[in-house]
Amino acid sequence: MSQSLTTQSVLVLGANGRLGRAVVKAFAAAGWRVLAQARRPLVDASHSNVRPLAVDLGGAAALAESLGGADVVVNAINPLYTAWDTEALPLARMAMSVALRLNATLIFPGNVYNFGASMPTQLLESTEQHPSTPKGLLRQQMERELKDATADGLRSIVLRAGDFIGDWGTGTWMDMAILKDLPKHRVTYPGPLDVVHSWANLPDLARSMVALAEIRAQCAAHALYHFPGYAVTGKQFIAELTQAARGTHLLAPDQELKTSSFPWPVIRLGGLLVPMWREISRMRYLWTVPHQLDGDKLAQAIGSIPHTPLEQALGDLLRQAGFVGTAAVSGTNSSQQQHAL
């Protein structure tokens, strides 16, 4: 990233979201001038390279123009899960409009929804898409419109990734299910423990976006890359989480996490009344169909792909969430220790 100079600017749309915060930090650390759009004050705008833009999405382009424009726009906007049907596509189109007005390259975070329940284990950029849910159809439509917009002069880069790890928040698999009972030394895993699931550490994903932004001139007008992240079974994930919990002293060295299965039948029935449960139930296949993203094309483009060991990434998340304790580092009576958040 040695090419990066403060004369290069990035506009991050949705800078207060989980991905947005990671992207702001990564570009600022790489020396870019960062225009961080958010309707509310930024959670962290301490870096000298970051200029908060307290404006709604409709006014982002004009305000960015008044501040000298931007070379890259990152679409980090993510509507509420229950509002995707009505908001996801219009927001994506607004981001495209912003990038076109600024004559900037648009970076869009993709996911695996496009491939549907019949997806193969190994997902390449060329893998056929057969979306099987409304969200998958929306994702497919977004990417189709990005590609079609090259006729209008839009340059875009899609970086597709798995489920996010990092930046503790609400409304995620981590806080709603997997780590909900971690203070009781219990983890709730949403799928069979022998099925491979794809994860992406947000700081690594954001640094990969910076690397792609650095070589944007070498990319196709509409470029697509897969971020490999972590492809692990539930058993492997829990083993890494156990080590991370020991590292934060929530568990003693000889303690293990108890494992519970996710109550899918209850979620499915509850979905008749609770919109969020309905949306979660529709995506159950992501936990029963093994899948992983092939990162060869990304590695060829940017060289070494940023990669934090899974145990370290989970440990960072636990500390951020306050999942730390007082378990003894050594000793045979660790089961008698008191564990506290």
Side-chain angles (χ1 to χ4, degrees):
M1 300 181 189
S2 60
Q3 299 176 2
S4 194
L5 301 169
T6 55
T7 53
Q8 294 196 90
S9 298
V10 59
L11 170 61
V12 181
L13 304 176
N16 259 339
R18 294 174 67 218
L19 175 60
R21 291 193 292 270
V23 169
V24 167
K25 291 177 184 177
F27 273 94
W32 286 60
R33 184 175 69 103
V34 181
L35 304 176
Q37 180 273 331
R39 289 176 296 176
R40 300 182 304 277
L42 289 186
V43 173
D44 181 8
S46 57
H47 201 290
S48 60
N49 291 4
V50 177
R51 173 71 180 268
L53 303 186
V55 64
D56 62 23
L57 191 58
L63 186 52
E65 278 183 330
S66 72
L67 296 172
D71 302 294
V72 172
V73 173
V74 178
N75 180 0
I77 308 162
N78 192 25
L80 292 174
Y81 215 54
T82 52
W84 266 48
D85 290 354
T86 57
E87 295 183 11
L89 198 53
L91 288 172
R93 287 169 177 162
M94 291 181 72
M96 292 165 58
S97 176
V98 169
L100 275 169
R101 177 168 173 175
L102 295 173
N103 193 28
T105 298
L106 177 63
I107 297 181
F108 179 79
N111 64 21
V112 302
Y113 293 4
N114 314 46
F115 299 110
S118 63
M119 62 183 167
T121 300
Q122 193 79 356
L123 299 175
L124 305 172
E125 288 83 356
S126 59
T127 298
E128 290 188 7
Q129 299 181 13
H130 301 287
S132 54
T133 63
K135 285 181 171 56
L137 288 167
L138 281 170
R139 280 287 183 173
Q140 186 182 53
Q141 179 67 21
M142 290 179 199
E143 292 190 19
R144 184 184 298 118
E145 293 192 13
L146 281 170
K147 185 176 182 179
D148 291 345
T150 57
D152 300 320
L154 178 67
R155 297 185 62 85
S156 60
I157 298 173
V158 175
L159 183 57
R160 189 174 285 140
D163 276 326
F164 292 164
I165 293 174
D167 204 334
W168 183 255
T170 58
T172 72
W173 277 110
M174 289 297 183
D175 74 277
M176 291 192 303
I178 297 175
L179 303 183
K180 180 170 64 70
D181 294 323
L182 193 62
K184 302 175 184 177
H185 304 161
R186 181 178 298 279
V187 57
T188 301
Y189 195 76
L193 297 183
D194 60 346
V195 172
V196 172
H197 187 78
S198 184
W199 298 91
N201 184 41
L202 280 173
D204 292 339
L205 180 64
R207 286 193 288 270
S208 296
M209 289 184 177
V210 175
L212 286 171
E214 297 282 2
I215 63 163
R216 62 190 183 280
Q218 305 167 34
C219 296
H222 175 68
L224 171 63
Y225 299 94
H226 280 184
F227 176 79
Y230 315 106
V232 294
T233 64
K235 183 177 180 180
Q236 292 170 322
F237 182 90
I238 293 170
E240 297 285 344
L241 180 61
T242 299
Q243 287 298 106
R246 290 169 179 165
T248 66
H249 306 309
L250 187 67
L251 292 180
D254 59 350
Q255 285 185 303
E256 300 289 341
L257 287 171
K258 299 181 286 288
T259 304
S260 298
S261 57
F262 194 69
W264 285 109
V266 174
I267 296 299
R268 182 178 180 182
L269 287 174
L272 297 173
L273 299 174
V274 183
M276 177 62 86
W277 289 17
R278 181 191 65 236
E279 298 304 314
I280 289 174
S281 182
R282 288 175 173 173
M283 309 309 294
R284 181 179 181 177
Y285 75 90
L286 292 171
W287 299 96
T288 59
V289 178
H291 61 280
Q292 62 185 82
L293 293 150
D294 186 289
D296 285 353
K297 182 180 177 182
L298 179 63
Q300 291 171 10
I302 67 173
S304 179
I305 299 174
H307 180 79
T308 302
L310 180 54
E311 179 187 335
Q312 180 181 335
L314 289 170
D316 291 342
L317 179 63
L318 297 187
R319 281 182 282 272
Q320 185 185 57
F323 289 129
V324 295
T326 58
V329 175
S330 61
T332 58
N333 63 342
S334 57
S335 61
Q336 299 176 4
Q337 296 292 324
Q338 296 297 315
H339 301 279
L341 284 180

